[in-house]
């Protein structure tokens, strides 16, 4: 979007439990975020106290606004909505939560609110295909957006790991966007690709947007790395 819209947040909102949501109207109107309490523990836990959940919800605003030019209506198909969930998990992982050095760790979403080491998704995000076997072909049998999102988020976890493996890790990435390290490159490509991809992107067109984003910003320096990372989870040149 064009920027400067505030976000209105309701914490411990009484309209639900064990969840959170974010409504993204078009540019010019405030995003609306509701954070709920989670009832799996006594006392209950507050989703607003887990960065995973807060960043996940805020990222819905980013992806809905940046895809398709600020209309807030370009992640509407099941596949595109699923990737919306995936970007939100991915941003939660990289921006605030788990990755604090060049050593890539598996990432579990929502382990605080559930007080469960497995969190709220079916698998940890991982570079190990044993720990997380999800591949592009997995979406053929999935029709729920968070489940589809897990496939996309795990691909992005592997893209992140490849970029950090190649270019190292910046400990100042949150305040210095000019670094050349892999985590800085990752977030630039993540955001650039949102602007480049078409309205209602697919896995294939979203992947192509990452490749194009790298061409635009880095002259294609990471082209092979990106193709290999996506292909490692079944989203290579012959994916359709
Ligand atoms: Zn979500």
């Amino acid at each position: 979007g064009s920027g400067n819209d505030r976000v209105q947040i309701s914490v411990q909102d009484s309209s639900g439990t064990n969840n959170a949501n974010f409504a993204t109207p078009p540019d010019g109107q405030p995003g609306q975020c509701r954070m709920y309490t989670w009832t799996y523990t006594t006392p209950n836990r507050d989703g607003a106290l887990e960065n995973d959940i807060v960043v996940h919800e805020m990222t819905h605003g980013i992806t809905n606004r940046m895809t398709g030019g600020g209309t807030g209506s370009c992640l509407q198909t099941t596949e595109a909505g699923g990737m919306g969930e995936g970007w939100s998990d991915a941003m939660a992982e990289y921006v605030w939560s788990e990755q604090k050095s060049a050593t890539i760790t598996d990432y579990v979403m929502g382990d605080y609110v559930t007080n469960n080491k497995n969190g709220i998704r079916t698998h940890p995000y991982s570079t190990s295909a044993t720990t997380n076997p999800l591949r592009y072909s997995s979406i053929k049998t999935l029709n729920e957006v968070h489940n589809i999102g897990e496939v996309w988020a795990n691909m992005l976890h592997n893209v992140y790991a490849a970029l950090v493996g190649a270019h190292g890790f910046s400990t100042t990435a949150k305040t210095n966007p000019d670094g050349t390290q892999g985590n800085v490159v990752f977030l630039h490509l993540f955001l650039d690709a949102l602007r480049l991809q078409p309205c209602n992107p697919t896995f294939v067109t979203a992947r192509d947007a990452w490749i194009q984003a790298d061409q635009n910003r880095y002259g294609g320096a990471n082209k092979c790395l990106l193709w290999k990372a996506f292909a490692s989870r079944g989203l290579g040149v012959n994916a359709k």
Side-chain angles (χ1 to χ4, degrees):
S2 57
N4 294 324
D5 286 335
R6 67 188 67 195
V7 173
Q8 298 176 339
I9 304 180
S10 175
V11 173
Q12 296 186 2
D13 191 280
S14 60
S15 65
T17 57
N18 302 327
N19 212 329
N21 56 53
F22 195 105
T24 315
D27 257 343
Q29 301 172 44
Q32 308 269 354
C33 182
R34 291 194 183 99
M35 305 296 296
Y36 300 147
T37 52
W38 293 65
T39 62
Y40 301 141
T41 59
T42 304
N44 294 168
R45 292 190 172 182
D46 183 343
L49 296 180
E50 181 156 28
N51 282 331
D52 295 6
I53 311 293
V54 177
V55 177
H56 176 105
E57 296 309 328
M58 294 300 169
T59 303
H60 278 308
I62 293 171
T63 57
N64 275 309
R65 280 288 175 84
M66 291 180 70
T67 302
T71 63
S73 59
C74 275
L75 297 177
Q76 299 300 307
T77 61
T78 302
E79 187 168 338
M83 284 190 292
E85 298 302 334
W87 282 303
S88 283
D89 278 11
M91 187 75 91
E93 172 174 0
Y94 310 116
V95 173
W96 284 110
S97 298
E98 203 85 355
Q99 307 299 344
K100 295 179 168 60
S101 76
T103 302
I104 307 297
T105 56
D106 290 352
Y107 174 65
V108 172
M109 177 81 195
D111 49 340
Y112 167 73
V113 291
T114 54
N115 195 30
N116 182 327
K117 67 177 174 51
N118 298 318
I120 57 176
R121 303 296 185 231
T122 64
H123 300 83
Y125 296 122
S126 181
T127 56
S128 162
T130 305
T131 302
N132 189 322
L134 294 170
R135 296 176 62 80
Y136 177 54
S137 55
S138 307
I139 71 169
K140 287 197 177 78
T141 57
L142 299 174
N143 50 31
E144 195 281 326
V145 287
H146 299 87
N147 293 335
I148 294 169
E150 289 188 41
V151 180
W152 183 237
N154 196 54
M155 285 182 187
L156 296 185
H157 177 96
N158 280 272
V159 169
Y160 174 87
L163 285 168
V164 171
H167 303 304
F169 183 85
S170 167
T171 56
T172 60
K174 289 174 192 169
T175 52
N176 178 13
D178 301 321
T180 58
Q181 295 88 347
N183 52 326
V184 177
V185 172
F186 177 85
L187 196 52
H188 277 306
L189 297 180
F190 185 118
L191 295 171
D192 289 354
L194 295 175
R195 290 191 197 90
L196 291 170
Q197 67 192 2
C199 189
N200 287 315
T202 63
F203 276 62
V204 168
T205 59
R207 174 207 64 197
D208 289 349
W210 276 73
I211 305 294
Q212 185 64 49
D214 179 61
Q215 185 65 42
N216 295 357
R217 186 178 283 272
Y218 300 112
N222 301 291
K223 184 176 180 180
C224 288
L225 178 153
L226 292 170
W227 275 112
K228 281 182 187 167
F230 283 116
S232 76
R233 295 301 181 277
L235 194 62
V237 287
N238 294 320
K240 35 172 122 51

